[in-house]
């Protein structure tokens, strides 16, 4: 998939009026995701993305304290000036597309390394083990 096709898919998923808006959202979400992933996961995911998207993801320094899924959305909302609700929408539009590009095996691996709450952002059910 080319970067242009990826943006068009995100534009469709997010119901954005323009390609430019889809690109703004994509840049913000991929940058934030890059700060949450381990270096190994970031590199593996980057190989599955179009070159421009891979650069957005890999040019980030990992956060010292990974955020839960909800904290990720709130942090991104604060950084972009959006509301948590619209940022949650934006995150889902981008990450469901990224999940498709990553494939199920890599996405499973990434989700095991992230704190709780990310599966929903990638369009998956959040599964937990019974106590």
């Amino acid at each position: 998939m080319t970067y242009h096709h990826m943006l068009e898919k995100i534009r469709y998923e997010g119901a954005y009026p323009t390609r430019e808006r889809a690109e703004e959202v994509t840049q913000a979400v991929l940058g934030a995701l890059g700060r949450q992933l381990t270096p190994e996961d970031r590199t593996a995911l980057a190989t599955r993305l179009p070159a421009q998207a891979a650069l957005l993801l890999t040019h980030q320094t990992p956060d010292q304290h990974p955020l839960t899924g909800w904290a990720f959305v709130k942090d991104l909302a604060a950084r972009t000036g959006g509301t948590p609700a619209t940022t949650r929408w934006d995150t889902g539009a981008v990450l469901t597309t990224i999940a498709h590009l990553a494939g199920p095996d890599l996405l499973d691996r990434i989700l095991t390394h992230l704190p709780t709450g990310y599966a929903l952002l990638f369009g998956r059910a959040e599964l937990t083990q019974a106590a």
Side-chain angles (χ1 to χ4, degrees):
M1 178 179 288
T2 67
Y3 186 66
H4 176 77
H5 287 113
M6 186 184 89
L7 289 178
E8 284 304 314
K9 182 163 175 47
I10 291 168
R11 180 179 177 194
Y12 176 80
E13 293 294 328
Y16 300 116
T18 65
R19 183 179 169 280
E20 290 76 21
R21 178 65 184 137
E23 188 165 22
E24 289 171 18
V25 168
T26 300
Q27 291 173 354
V29 173
L30 285 179
L33 180 64
R35 291 189 293 275
Q36 298 304 308
L37 297 176
T38 65
E40 296 81 19
D41 289 343
R42 203 174 38 202
T43 300
L45 181 56
T47 65
R48 310 252 176 118
L49 301 179
Q52 287 175 276
L55 288 174
L56 294 169
L57 185 74
T58 58
H59 279 92
Q60 302 301 318
T61 303
D63 283 346
Q64 294 297 317
H65 304 286
L67 301 172
T68 64
W70 180 236
F72 174 84
V73 170
K74 291 191 307 186
D75 180 67
L76 185 56
R79 289 175 187 261
T80 61
T83 67
T86 58
T87 303
R88 168 59 183 94
W89 178 269
D90 295 343
T91 302
V94 173
L95 294 185
T96 55
T97 300
I98 297 304
H100 174 73
L101 293 172
D105 293 338
L106 178 57
L107 185 57
D108 287 345
R109 186 177 99 193
I110 288 170
L111 290 173
T112 62
H113 296 141
L114 289 170
T116 61
Y118 282 89
L120 291 172
L121 299 176
F122 282 98
R124 284 194 171 178
E126 185 80 33
L127 302 176
T128 57
Q129 293 182 352

